Amino acid sequence: RDRINRIATCLTRLPDDFREVIDMAYTRGLQLRQIAEALELNEETVKKRIQRARRALADCVVDGEAA
């Protein structure tokens, strides 16, 4: 339960552009192509944002610090 709370807190601390792609990919279940189209970005940009968001989220959960 503590880990879930920490993840939720860390999600709120992510920059908006990171939080947005995480939400679209993992909550809404959209594919990279769909996210890219919705945000008017190329797929590589979306992929990098997701990677960076996941890294920032993992660091926050482990270290207790936000991105």
Side-chain angles (χ1 to χ4, degrees):
R1 184 75 181 150
D2 287 339
R3 186 174 176 99
I4 292 171
N5 289 336
R6 182 178 291 262
I7 291 169
T9 298
C10 289
L11 279 169
T12 66
R13 294 180 181 170
L14 286 176
D16 290 342
D17 57 340
F18 285 5
R19 191 170 49 249
E20 183 174 42
V21 295
I22 290 292
D23 176 59
M24 294 176 90
Y26 295 104
T27 304
R28 299 180 198 179
L30 299 177
Q31 300 294 319
L32 286 177
R33 178 183 43 78
Q34 295 170 310
I35 298 168
E37 288 174 4
L39 299 177
E40 298 181 356
L41 299 168
N42 68 50
E43 288 184 42
E44 191 60 31
T45 299
V46 172
K47 185 177 178 179
K48 287 190 182 298
R49 281 189 188 175
I50 291 172
Q51 289 171 340
R52 290 175 182 153
R54 289 180 63 188
R55 186 176 315 119
L57 187 59
D59 289 346
C60 178
V61 169
V62 171
D63 300 333
E65 296 180 12

